[in-house]
Amino acid sequence: MRAVNFTFWDRLVLAPMELAIAAKVALSVFGVLFLINLFAQRLFGVEDFFAYIASILIGAVIAPALLPVIPGRAFAFKGWLLGAIGTASIVWIFGWFNSPYLLLGIGYMLVLPAHAAFLTMNFTGASTYTSPSGVLREMRIALSPIILATALGIILLLVKAFTG
């Protein structure tokens, strides 16, 4: 496998498959957000939609396409790094680091990079860079922090949604 070329275009060709998988989950997430919006004080809107879609694009397209140039070895770390940069940019642009939205900003800084990391980690099985044992090892190491960050972030987002 070390002799196989895995160019930028080869990695980009796999993006539609990753996006299709992410789209199925996104429909469920949007359904849940719709139900939460029926009772929430702070409604999830276009900015929230944009932030979520950005994490999907970062984790399923951008990070896999740029794998060789992103620092680090683990795919989950590479996805988390780009996700954190992208999320920090979005949170800053929408002003969610300011006082009334700080809980929202922190929640998204936990959830969205973890989401991007998970999507990028899914790419390990499709690449020529990893072995089956390497994939299992990375999943064993990365899955717990991803779940923890996602759970904490969701709790903060729900608190913000129901307290205004």
Side-chain angles (χ1 to χ4, degrees):
M1 290 305 284
R2 294 185 192 277
V4 174
N5 289 330
F6 198 48
T7 65
F8 174 81
W9 296 111
D10 293 335
R11 292 186 302 276
L12 209 54
V13 165
L14 297 173
M17 183 182 67
E18 297 294 324
L19 287 173
I21 294 168
K24 290 177 185 177
V25 175
L27 287 175
S28 300
V29 169
F30 294 139
V32 170
L33 292 178
F34 174 77
L35 293 174
I36 290 172
N37 277 350
L38 295 175
F39 305 103
Q41 288 186 10
R42 187 225 169 250
L43 301 178
F44 290 94
V46 175
E47 295 93 356
D48 305 284
F49 173 78
F50 178 74
Y52 184 69
I53 295 301
S55 76
I56 291 174
L57 290 175
I58 288 169
V61 179
I62 297 170
L66 299 176
L67 277 175
V69 297
I70 304 169
R73 185 170 172 92
F75 282 42
F77 174 75
K78 291 175 184 248
W80 179 87
L81 181 63
L82 286 187
I85 292 168
T87 302
S89 301
I90 290 168
V91 167
W92 180 75
I93 288 168
F94 291 135
W96 292 337
F97 281 134
N98 296 330
S99 180
Y101 298 105
L102 187 59
L103 204 58
L104 184 71
I106 293 169
Y108 278 134
M109 286 302 299
L110 289 168
V111 170
L112 297 180
H115 183 243
F118 183 77
L119 290 173
T120 305
M121 187 176 62
N122 282 341
F123 195 75
T124 57
S127 76
T128 60
Y129 301 134
T130 56
S131 64
S133 61
V135 171
L136 291 174
R137 181 174 171 261
E138 180 174 351
M139 288 180 67
R140 203 171 25 251
I141 293 170
L143 211 48
S144 294
I146 287 172
I147 291 170
L148 181 64
T150 302
L152 289 173
I154 287 172
I155 289 169
L156 291 177
L157 292 173
L158 289 174
V159 166
K160 180 62 180 169
F162 288 109
T163 61

